[in-house]
Every structure is written in structure tokens, then in C-alpha cells.
Amino acid sequence: MAKLHIRKNDTVMVLSGEDKGKTGKVLKVLVEKQRALVEGVNMVSKSTKPSAKNPQGGIVKQEAPIHISNLSLIDPKSGKPTRVAIKHEGKNVVRIAKKSGEEIK
């Protein structure tokens, strides 16, 4: 399985689809499916049965996974979308923003 350019807690921008142009924080990355859950993006309505946690039940709005290819990392310096370069420093792997050359933490 190839490594992905996006990790949990990264800030990303949606490049295509219904939510094009929106930005959000990555909540979870599904590596096997090459998808990510992004805060406030790709919202769907899900009906839930009453439970101990939610005694009322009803319709809940939640994020659905979006494909990694539709996401671009936000450059920490300029705040614009950027591509990612991977640099090996000894045993460490460092991600670098192509636009500014800044290291992505």
C-alpha cells in the first residue's frame, strides 16, 4: 500500500465535488480505502435508533469519508493549497510543502 500525503490533524482543502473550496481538519484517515474524514466536509444525514447514549434517536448529521485525491494540503506559510514532497533525513521522513519549501509538522 502506498503512503498517503495526508495525515490526521492536517488542514486540507477540497479540490472537487459538492464541497469544493472548503477547508477543514482531517479527523481520520482510512488508508485501505484511500479516504479521509474531514471536519465539516461531505456532511450526510444518518438516521439513528434510540439508544442509551441518544434516547431520542432521530436524524444525525455527520461527516462521510472523501477520497484523498480530492484533497490538497494547506501550506503552513501561505495558507494556500500545495503539493507535498517527501524528504528522507536519516531514518526520519519529513514532508515539505512544494509552494514555500516549509516543513509540514
Side-chain angles (χ1 to χ4, degrees):
M1 182 62 57
K3 295 251 182 188
L4 302 176
H5 63 280
I6 289 171
R7 294 183 189 161
K8 185 179 176 180
N9 293 326
D10 282 345
T11 305
V12 294
M13 178 181 273
V14 180
L15 298 177
S16 65
E18 191 177 300
D19 295 316
K20 181 178 179 176
K22 286 188 181 178
T23 59
K25 190 172 103 174
V26 176
L27 303 173
K28 186 176 184 180
V29 177
L30 308 168
V31 179
E32 292 294 315
K33 295 182 179 179
Q34 294 211 345
R35 292 177 171 269
L37 281 175
V38 182
E39 195 173 49
V41 173
N42 199 20
M43 299 297 284
V44 293
S45 298
K46 185 177 183 208
S47 42
T48 57
K49 283 186 166 182
S51 64
K53 195 173 185 181
N54 186 8
Q56 187 65 35
I59 298 170
V60 177
K61 289 278 224 178
Q62 67 182 39
E63 293 92 356
I66 187 168
H67 199 271
I68 293 284
S69 66
N70 295 329
L71 301 175
S72 182
L73 199 67
I74 297 292
D75 191 334
K77 193 172 185 179
S78 68
K80 294 181 181 177
T82 183
R83 290 179 298 149
V84 179
I86 294 177
K87 187 177 178 185
H88 299 278
E89 293 179 353
K91 290 190 176 184
N92 297 335
V93 176
V94 178
R95 294 181 305 158
I96 297 171
K98 288 263 192 172
K99 259 193 182 152
S100 65
E102 287 280 313
E103 183 181 333
I104 300 163
K105 302 217 168 21

